[in-house]
Amino acid sequence: MSTLTTKRFVIRKSLIGKNTIITFTNKTGDTISYDHDEVYNTHKDRFDSMNCFDKYKSYTNSNNMPAFARSLQLK
């Protein structure tokens, strides 16, 4: 399992199946970690239907972890 530190929440097509734990710090200073594959697989239909995911091969949120994925945050 690999670890990636970013400045925002991100789901990338290139990371699918790579067993990556992503950690980022949101704008309020909270450090949030999540399993990329678990979030993607749980919400696969949602991500695959997004125009940005099709066009840019990724989905990002610079402010926080999206509400629909917060239950998958690692403690």
Side-chain angles (χ1 to χ4, degrees):
M1 190 165 281
S2 61
T3 305
L4 177 67
T5 303
T6 66
K7 294 183 179 184
R8 64 189 54 85
F9 173 87
V10 64
I11 296 293
R12 292 186 190 134
K13 284 188 177 183
S14 64
L15 291 175
I16 296 170
K18 303 264 197 243
N19 284 335
T20 304
I21 299 295
I22 298 180
T23 302
F24 73 97
T25 303
N26 67 12
K27 296 201 179 215
T28 60
D30 299 325
T31 300
I32 299 168
S33 296
Y34 60 96
D35 182 325
H36 179 276
D37 289 341
E38 183 179 11
V39 173
Y40 174 75
N41 291 328
T42 303
H43 299 285
K44 183 181 186 319
D45 293 338
R46 179 188 297 257
F47 290 118
D48 290 345
S49 66
M50 292 178 176
N51 289 334
C52 63
F53 201 66
D54 186 44
K55 185 174 183 179
Y56 301 110
K57 313 279 189 260
S58 69
Y59 168 80
T60 63
N61 186 329
S62 59
N63 295 318
N64 208 344
M65 191 160 181
F68 64 82
R70 287 187 190 144
S71 64
L72 300 172
Q73 178 176 328
L74 300 176
K75 304 297 177 206

Coordinates of all heavy atoms in Angstrom, one line a residue:
M1 N 0.8 -1.2 0.0 CA 0.0 0.0 0.0 C 0.9 1.2 0.0 O 1.8 1.3 0.8 CB -0.9 0.0 1.2 CG -2.0 1.0 1.2 SD -3.3 0.8 2.3 CE -4.3 -0.5 1.5
S2 N 0.6 2.2 -0.9 CA 1.4 3.4 -0.9 C 0.6 4.6 -0.3 O -0.6 4.5 -0.2 CB 1.8 3.7 -2.4 OG 0.6 3.9 -3.2
T3 N 1.3 5.6 0.0 CA 0.8 6.8 0.5 C 1.1 8.0 -0.3 O 2.2 8.1 -0.9 CB 1.3 7.1 2.0 OG1 1.1 5.9 2.7 CG2 0.7 8.2 2.6
L4 N 0.1 8.9 -0.5 CA 0.2 10.1 -1.3 C -0.3 11.3 -0.5 O -1.4 11.2 0.1 CB -0.6 10.0 -2.6 CG -0.6 11.1 -3.6 CD1 0.8 11.4 -4.1 CD2 -1.6 10.9 -4.7
T5 N 0.5 12.3 -0.4 CA 0.1 13.5 0.3 C -0.2 14.6 -0.7 O 0.6 14.9 -1.6 CB 1.2 14.0 1.3 OG1 1.5 13.0 2.2 CG2 0.8 15.2 2.0
T6 N -1.4 15.2 -0.7 CA -1.8 16.2 -1.6 C -2.3 17.4 -0.9 O -2.4 17.4 0.3 CB -2.9 15.7 -2.6 OG1 -4.1 15.4 -1.8 CG2 -2.5 14.4 -3.3
K7 N -2.7 18.5 -1.6 CA -3.2 19.7 -1.0 C -4.8 19.7 -1.1 O -5.4 20.6 -0.6 CB -2.7 20.9 -1.8 CG -1.2 21.1 -1.6 CD -0.8 22.3 -2.3 CE 0.7 22.5 -2.0 NZ 1.3 23.8 -2.6
R8 N -5.4 18.6 -1.7 CA -6.8 18.6 -1.8 C -7.3 17.1 -1.9 O -6.5 16.2 -2.2 CB -7.2 19.4 -3.0 CG -6.7 18.8 -4.3 CD -7.0 19.7 -5.5 NE -6.5 21.0 -5.4 CZ -5.2 21.4 -5.7 NH1 -4.3 20.5 -6.1 NH2 -4.9 22.7 -5.5
F9 N -8.6 16.9 -1.8 CA -9.2 15.6 -2.0 C -9.2 15.4 -3.5 O -9.4 16.2 -4.3 CB -10.7 15.7 -1.6 CG -11.5 14.4 -1.9 CD1 -11.5 13.4 -1.1 CD2 -12.2 14.4 -3.1 CE1 -12.2 12.2 -1.4 CE2 -12.9 13.2 -3.4 CZ -12.9 12.1 -2.6
V10 N -8.8 14.2 -3.9 CA -8.6 13.8 -5.3 C -9.0 12.3 -5.5 O -8.6 11.5 -4.7 CB -7.2 14.2 -5.8 CG1 -6.2 13.4 -5.2 CG2 -7.2 14.0 -7.3
I11 N -9.7 12.1 -6.6 CA -9.9 10.8 -7.2 C -9.4 10.8 -8.6 O -9.9 11.6 -9.4 CB -11.4 10.4 -7.1 CG1 -11.9 10.3 -5.7 CG2 -11.6 9.0 -7.8 CD1 -11.3 9.2 -4.8
R12 N -8.4 10.0 -8.9 CA -7.8 10.0 -10.2 C -7.9 8.6 -10.9 O -7.7 7.6 -10.2 CB -6.3 10.3 -10.2 CG -5.9 11.7 -9.8 CD -4.4 11.9 -9.9 NE -4.1 13.1 -9.2 CZ -3.1 13.3 -8.4 NH1 -2.3 12.3 -8.1 NH2 -2.9 14.5 -7.9
K13 N -8.2 8.6 -12.2 CA -8.2 7.3 -12.9 C -6.9 6.6 -12.8 O -6.9 5.4 -12.7 CB -8.6 7.6 -14.4 CG -10.1 7.9 -14.5 CD -10.5 7.9 -16.0 CE -12.0 8.1 -16.1 NZ -12.4 8.1 -17.5
S14 N -5.8 7.3 -12.8 CA -4.5 6.7 -12.8 C -4.2 6.0 -11.5 O -3.3 5.2 -11.4 CB -3.4 7.7 -13.1 OG -3.4 8.7 -12.1
L15 N -4.9 6.3 -10.4 CA -4.7 5.7 -9.1 C -5.6 4.5 -8.8 O -5.4 3.9 -7.8 CB -4.8 6.8 -8.0 CG -3.7 7.8 -8.0 CD1 -4.1 8.9 -6.9 CD2 -2.4 7.2 -7.7
I16 N -6.6 4.3 -9.7 CA -7.5 3.2 -9.4 C -6.8 1.9 -9.4 O -6.0 1.6 -10.3 CB -8.6 3.2 -10.5 CG1 -9.5 4.5 -10.4 CG2 -9.5 2.0 -10.3 CD1 -10.4 4.7 -11.5
G17 N -7.0 1.1 -8.4 CA -6.4 -0.2 -8.3 C -4.9 -0.2 -7.7 O -4.3 -1.2 -7.7
K18 N -4.4 0.9 -7.3 CA -3.1 1.0 -6.8 C -2.9 0.9 -5.3 O -1.8 1.1 -4.8 CB -2.4 2.3 -7.3 CG -2.5 2.6 -8.8 CD -1.2 2.1 -9.4 CE -1.1 2.7 -10.8 NZ -1.0 2.1 -11.9
N19 N -4.1 0.7 -4.6 CA -4.0 0.6 -3.1 C -3.3 1.8 -2.5 O -2.4 1.7 -1.7 CB -3.4 -0.6 -2.6 CG -4.3 -1.8 -2.8 OD1 -5.5 -1.7 -2.8 ND2 -3.7 -3.0 -2.9
T20 N -3.8 3.0 -2.8 CA -3.2 4.3 -2.3 C -4.0 4.9 -1.2 O -5.2 5.0 -1.3 CB -3.1 5.3 -3.4 OG1 -2.3 4.7 -4.5 CG2 -2.4 6.5 -3.0
I21 N -3.3 5.3 -0.1 CA -3.9 6.0 1.0 C -3.5 7.5 0.7 O -2.4 7.8 0.6 CB -3.4 5.6 2.4 CG1 -3.7 4.2 2.7 CG2 -4.0 6.6 3.5 CD1 -5.2 3.9 2.8
I22 N -4.5 8.4 0.6 CA -4.3 9.8 0.3 C -4.5 10.6 1.6 O -5.5 10.4 2.2 CB -5.1 10.3 -0.9 CG1 -4.8 9.5 -2.1 CG2 -5.0 11.8 -1.1 CD1 -5.6 9.9 -3.4
T23 N -3.6 11.5 1.9 CA -3.7 12.4 3.0 C -3.6 13.8 2.5 O -2.8 14.1 1.7 CB -2.6 12.1 4.0 OG1 -2.7 10.8 4.4 CG2 -2.7 13.0 5.2
F24 N -4.6 14.7 3.0 CA -4.5 16.1 2.6 C -4.9 16.9 3.8 O -5.6 16.4 4.7 CB -5.3 16.4 1.4 CG -6.8 16.4 1.6 CD1 -7.5 17.6 1.8 CD2 -7.5 15.2 1.6 CE1 -8.9 17.6 2.0 CE2 -8.9 15.2 1.8 CZ -9.6 16.4 2.0
T25 N -4.5 18.2 3.8 CA -4.9 19.1 4.8 C -5.9 20.1 4.2 O -5.6 20.8 3.2 CB -3.7 19.9 5.4 OG1 -2.8 18.9 5.9 CG2 -4.1 20.8 6.5
N26 N -7.1 20.2 4.7 CA -8.1 21.1 4.2 C -7.8 22.6 4.6 O -6.9 22.8 5.3 CB -9.5 20.7 4.5 CG -9.9 20.8 6.0 OD1 -9.1 21.4 6.8 ND2 -11.0 20.2 6.4
K27 N -8.7 23.5 4.1 CA -8.4 24.9 4.3 C -8.6 25.3 5.8 O -8.1 26.3 6.2 CB -9.4 25.7 3.5 CG -9.1 25.5 2.0 CD -9.6 26.6 1.2 CE -9.3 26.3 -0.3 NZ -9.0 27.3 -1.1
T28 N -9.2 24.5 6.6 CA -9.3 24.8 8.0 C -8.2 24.2 8.9 O -8.2 24.3 10.1 CB -10.7 24.4 8.6 OG1 -10.8 23.0 8.4 CG2 -11.9 25.1 7.9
G29 N -7.3 23.5 8.2 CA -6.2 22.9 8.9 C -6.3 21.4 9.4 O -5.5 20.9 10.0
D30 N -7.5 20.8 9.0 CA -7.7 19.4 9.4 C -7.0 18.5 8.5 O -7.1 18.7 7.2 CB -9.2 19.1 9.4 CG -10.0 20.0 10.4 OD1 -9.5 20.3 11.4 OD2 -11.2 20.3 10.0
T31 N -6.3 17.5 9.0 CA -5.7 16.5 8.1 C -6.6 15.3 7.9 O -7.1 14.8 8.9 CB -4.4 16.1 8.8 OG1 -3.5 17.2 8.9 CG2 -3.7 15.0 7.9
I32 N -6.9 15.0 6.7 CA -7.8 14.0 6.4 C -7.2 12.9 5.5 O -6.4 13.2 4.6 CB -9.0 14.6 5.6 CG1 -9.7 15.6 6.4 CG2 -10.0 13.5 5.1 CD1 -10.7 16.5 5.7
S33 N -7.4 11.6 5.8 CA -6.9 10.5 5.1 C -8.0 9.6 4.6 O -9.0 9.5 5.3 CB -5.9 9.7 5.9 OG -4.8 10.4 6.3
Y34 N -7.8 9.0 3.4 CA -8.8 8.1 2.9 C -8.2 7.1 2.0 O -7.1 7.4 1.4 CB -10.0 8.9 2.2 CG -9.5 9.7 1.1 CD1 -9.6 9.2 -0.3 CD2 -9.0 11.0 1.3 CE1 -9.2 10.0 -1.3 CE2 -8.6 11.8 0.2 CZ -8.7 11.3 -1.1 OH -8.2 12.0 -2.2
D35 N -8.9 6.0 1.8 CA -8.4 4.9 0.9 C -9.0 5.3 -0.5 O -10.2 5.2 -0.7 CB -8.9 3.6 1.4 CG -8.4 2.4 0.5 OD1 -8.3 2.6 -0.8 OD2 -8.2 1.3 1.0
H36 N -8.2 5.6 -1.4 CA -8.6 6.1 -2.8 C -9.5 5.0 -3.4 O -10.6 5.3 -3.9 CB -7.4 6.3 -3.7 CG -7.7 6.7 -5.0 ND1 -7.9 5.8 -6.0 CD2 -7.8 8.0 -5.6 CE1 -8.2 6.5 -7.2 NE2 -8.1 7.8 -6.9
D37 N -9.1 3.8 -3.4 CA -9.9 2.7 -4.1 C -11.2 2.5 -3.4 O -12.2 2.3 -4.1 CB -9.1 1.4 -4.1 CG -7.9 1.5 -5.1 OD1 -7.9 2.3 -6.0 OD2 -7.0 0.6 -5.0
E38 N -11.2 2.6 -2.1 CA -12.5 2.4 -1.4 C -13.5 3.5 -1.7 O -14.7 3.2 -2.0 CB -12.3 2.3 0.1 CG -13.5 2.0 0.9 CD -13.3 2.0 2.4 OE1 -12.2 2.3 2.9 OE2 -14.3 1.6 3.1
V39 N -13.0 4.7 -1.7 CA -13.9 5.8 -2.1 C -14.4 5.7 -3.5 O -15.6 5.8 -3.8 CB -13.2 7.2 -1.9 CG1 -14.1 8.3 -2.4 CG2 -12.9 7.4 -0.4
Y40 N -13.5 5.4 -4.4 CA -13.8 5.3 -5.8 C -14.8 4.1 -6.0 O -15.9 4.3 -6.7 CB -12.6 5.0 -6.7 CG -13.0 4.7 -8.2 CD1 -13.5 5.8 -9.0 CD2 -13.0 3.5 -8.7 CE1 -13.9 5.5 -10.3 CE2 -13.4 3.2 -10.0 CZ -13.9 4.2 -10.8 OH -14.3 3.9 -12.0
N41 N -14.5 2.9 -5.5 CA -15.4 1.8 -5.7 C -16.8 2.0 -5.1 O -17.8 1.5 -5.7 CB -14.7 0.5 -5.2 CG -13.5 0.1 -6.0 OD1 -13.5 0.3 -7.2 ND2 -12.6 -0.5 -5.4
T42 N -16.9 2.6 -4.0 CA -18.1 2.9 -3.3 C -19.0 3.8 -4.1 O -20.2 3.7 -4.2 CB -17.9 3.5 -1.9 OG1 -17.1 2.5 -1.2 CG2 -19.2 3.7 -1.2
H43 N -18.4 4.8 -4.8 CA -19.1 5.9 -5.5 C -18.8 5.8 -7.0 O -18.8 6.9 -7.7 CB -18.8 7.2 -4.9 CG -19.2 7.3 -3.5 ND1 -20.6 7.5 -3.1 CD2 -18.5 7.3 -2.4 CE1 -20.6 7.5 -1.8 NE2 -19.4 7.4 -1.3
K44 N -18.4 4.7 -7.5 CA -18.0 4.5 -8.9 C -19.0 5.1 -9.9 O -18.5 5.9 -10.8 CB -17.8 3.0 -9.2 CG -17.3 2.7 -10.6 CD -17.1 1.2 -10.8 CE -16.5 0.8 -12.1 NZ -16.9 1.5 -13.3
D45 N -20.2 4.8 -9.8 CA -21.2 5.4 -10.7 C -21.3 6.9 -10.7 O -21.4 7.5 -11.8 CB -22.6 4.8 -10.4 CG -22.7 3.3 -10.7 OD1 -21.9 2.8 -11.5 OD2 -23.6 2.7 -10.1
R46 N -21.1 7.5 -9.5 CA -21.1 8.9 -9.4 C -19.9 9.5 -10.1 O -20.0 10.5 -10.9 CB -21.1 9.3 -7.9 CG -21.1 10.8 -7.7 CD -20.8 11.2 -6.2 NE -21.9 10.7 -5.4 CZ -22.9 11.5 -4.9 NH1 -22.9 12.8 -5.2 NH2 -23.8 11.0 -4.1
F47 N -18.7 9.0 -9.9 CA -17.5 9.5 -10.5 C -17.5 9.3 -12.0 O -17.2 10.2 -12.8 CB -16.2 8.9 -9.9 CG -16.0 9.3 -8.5 CD1 -15.9 8.4 -7.5 CD2 -15.7 10.7 -8.2 CE1 -15.7 8.8 -6.2 CE2 -15.5 11.1 -6.9 CZ -15.5 10.1 -5.9
D48 N -17.9 8.1 -12.5 CA -17.9 7.8 -13.9 C -18.9 8.7 -14.7 O -18.7 8.8 -15.9 CB -18.2 6.3 -14.1 CG -17.0 5.5 -13.7 OD1 -15.9 6.0 -13.5 OD2 -17.2 4.2 -13.6
S49 N -19.9 9.2 -14.0 CA -20.9 10.0 -14.7 C -20.5 11.5 -14.7 O -21.2 12.3 -15.4 CB -22.3 9.9 -14.1 OG -22.3 10.4 -12.8
M50 N -19.5 11.9 -14.0 CA -19.1 13.3 -14.0 C -18.3 13.7 -15.2 O -17.4 13.0 -15.7 CB -18.2 13.6 -12.7 CG -18.8 13.4 -11.4 SD -17.6 13.7 -10.1 CE -18.7 13.6 -8.7
N51 N -18.6 14.9 -15.8 CA -18.0 15.4 -17.0 C -16.5 15.6 -16.7 O -15.6 15.3 -17.5 CB -18.6 16.7 -17.4 CG -20.0 16.5 -18.1 OD1 -20.3 15.4 -18.5 ND2 -20.8 17.5 -18.0
C52 N -16.1 16.1 -15.5 CA -14.7 16.4 -15.2 C -13.9 15.1 -15.1 O -12.8 15.1 -15.6 CB -14.6 17.2 -13.9 SG -15.2 16.3 -12.4
F53 N -14.5 14.0 -14.7 CA -13.8 12.8 -14.5 C -13.6 12.2 -15.9 O -12.5 11.6 -16.2 CB -14.6 11.8 -13.7 CG -13.8 10.7 -13.1 CD1 -12.9 10.9 -12.1 CD2 -14.1 9.4 -13.5 CE1 -12.1 9.9 -11.6 CE2 -13.3 8.3 -12.9 CZ -12.4 8.6 -12.0
D54 N -14.5 12.4 -16.8 CA -14.3 11.9 -18.2 C -13.3 12.8 -19.0 O -12.4 12.2 -19.6 CB -15.7 12.0 -18.9 CG -15.6 11.4 -20.3 OD1 -15.0 10.3 -20.5 OD2 -16.2 12.0 -21.2
K55 N -13.4 14.1 -18.8 CA -12.5 15.0 -19.5 C -11.1 15.1 -19.0 O -10.1 15.0 -19.7 CB -13.2 16.4 -19.6 CG -12.4 17.4 -20.4 CD -13.2 18.7 -20.5 CE -12.5 19.7 -21.4 NZ -13.2 20.9 -21.5
Y56 N -11.0 15.2 -17.7 CA -9.7 15.5 -17.0 C -9.1 14.2 -16.3 O -8.0 14.3 -15.8 CB -9.8 16.6 -16.0 CG -10.2 17.9 -16.7 CD1 -11.5 18.4 -16.4 CD2 -9.4 18.6 -17.6 CE1 -11.9 19.6 -17.0 CE2 -9.8 19.8 -18.2 CZ -11.0 20.3 -17.9 OH -11.4 21.4 -18.5
K57 N -9.9 13.1 -16.3 CA -9.5 11.9 -15.6 C -9.3 12.0 -14.1 O -8.6 11.2 -13.5 CB -8.2 11.3 -16.3 CG -8.1 11.3 -17.8 CD -8.9 10.2 -18.3 CE -8.7 10.0 -19.8 NZ -9.7 10.5 -20.6
S58 N -9.9 13.0 -13.5 CA -9.8 13.2 -12.1 C -11.0 14.0 -11.5 O -11.7 14.7 -12.3 CB -8.5 13.8 -11.7 OG -8.5 15.2 -12.1
Y59 N -11.2 13.9 -10.2 CA -12.2 14.7 -9.5 C -11.4 15.3 -8.3 O -10.8 14.5 -7.6 CB -13.4 13.9 -9.1 CG -14.3 14.6 -8.1 CD1 -15.2 15.6 -8.5 CD2 -14.2 14.4 -6.7 CE1 -16.0 16.3 -7.6 CE2 -14.9 15.1 -5.8 CZ -15.9 16.0 -6.3 OH -16.6 16.7 -5.4
T60 N -11.5 16.6 -8.1 CA -10.9 17.2 -6.9 C -11.9 18.1 -6.2 O -12.9 18.5 -6.7 CB -9.7 18.1 -7.3 OG1 -10.1 19.1 -8.2 CG2 -8.6 17.3 -8.1
N61 N -11.5 18.3 -4.9 CA -12.3 19.2 -4.1 C -11.2 19.8 -3.1 O -10.6 19.2 -2.3 CB -13.3 18.5 -3.2 CG -14.2 19.4 -2.5 OD1 -13.7 20.5 -2.0 ND2 -15.4 19.0 -2.3
S62 N -11.0 21.1 -3.3 CA -9.9 21.8 -2.6 C -10.3 22.2 -1.1 O -9.4 22.5 -0.3 CB -9.4 23.0 -3.3 OG -10.4 23.9 -3.5
N63 N -11.6 22.2 -0.8 CA -12.0 22.7 0.5 C -12.1 21.6 1.5 O -11.8 21.8 2.7 CB -13.4 23.4 0.4 CG -13.3 24.6 -0.5 OD1 -12.3 25.4 -0.3 ND2 -14.2 24.8 -1.3
N64 N -12.6 20.5 1.2 CA -12.9 19.4 2.1 C -13.1 18.1 1.4 O -13.2 18.1 0.2 CB -14.1 19.8 3.0 CG -14.0 19.2 4.4 OD1 -13.2 18.3 4.7 ND2 -14.8 19.7 5.3
M65 N -13.3 17.1 2.2 CA -13.7 15.8 1.6 C -15.2 15.9 1.3 O -16.0 16.4 2.1 CB -13.5 14.7 2.6 CG -13.7 13.3 2.1 SD -12.8 12.1 3.1 CE -13.1 10.6 2.2
P66 N -15.7 15.5 0.1 CA -17.1 15.7 -0.2 C -18.0 15.0 0.8 O -17.7 13.9 1.3 CB -17.2 15.0 -1.6 CG -15.8 14.9 -2.1 CD -14.9 14.9 -0.9
A67 N -19.2 15.5 1.0 CA -20.1 15.0 2.0 C -20.5 13.5 1.7 O -20.6 12.7 2.7 CB -21.4 15.8 2.1
F68 N -20.6 13.2 0.5 CA -21.0 11.8 0.1 C -19.9 10.8 0.4 O -20.2 9.6 0.5 CB -21.4 11.7 -1.4 CG -20.3 12.0 -2.4 CD1 -19.4 11.0 -2.7 CD2 -20.2 13.2 -3.0 CE1 -18.4 11.2 -3.6 CE2 -19.2 13.5 -3.9 CZ -18.3 12.5 -4.2
A69 N -18.7 11.2 0.7 CA -17.6 10.3 0.9 C -17.0 10.4 2.3 O -16.1 9.6 2.7 CB -16.4 10.6 -0.1
R70 N -17.5 11.3 3.2 CA -17.0 11.5 4.5 C -17.1 10.3 5.4 O -16.2 10.1 6.3 CB -17.7 12.7 5.2 CG -17.2 14.0 4.6 CD -17.7 15.2 5.3 NE -17.4 16.3 4.5 CZ -18.2 17.4 4.4 NH1 -19.3 17.5 5.1 NH2 -17.8 18.4 3.6
S71 N -18.0 9.4 5.2 CA -18.1 8.2 6.0 C -17.0 7.2 5.8 O -16.7 6.4 6.6 CB -19.5 7.5 5.8 OG -19.5 7.1 4.4
L72 N -16.3 7.4 4.6 CA -15.1 6.6 4.3 C -13.8 7.1 4.8 O -12.8 6.5 4.5 CB -15.1 6.3 2.8 CG -16.4 5.7 2.2 CD1 -16.4 5.7 0.7 CD2 -16.6 4.3 2.8
Q73 N -13.8 8.2 5.5 CA -12.6 8.8 6.0 C -11.9 7.9 7.0 O -12.6 7.3 7.8 CB -12.9 10.1 6.6 CG -11.8 10.9 7.3 CD -12.3 12.2 7.8 OE1 -13.2 12.9 7.3 NE2 -11.6 12.7 8.9
L74 N -10.6 7.7 6.9 CA -9.9 6.9 7.8 C -9.7 7.6 9.1 O -9.4 8.8 9.1 CB -8.5 6.5 7.3 CG -8.5 5.7 6.0 CD1 -7.1 5.5 5.5 CD2 -9.2 4.4 6.2
K75 N -9.8 7.0 10.2 CA -9.7 7.6 11.5 C -8.3 7.7 12.0 O -7.4 6.9 11.7 CB -10.5 6.9 12.6 CG -12.0 6.7 12.2 CD -12.6 8.0 12.1 CE -14.1 7.9 11.6 NZ -14.6 8.9 11.0

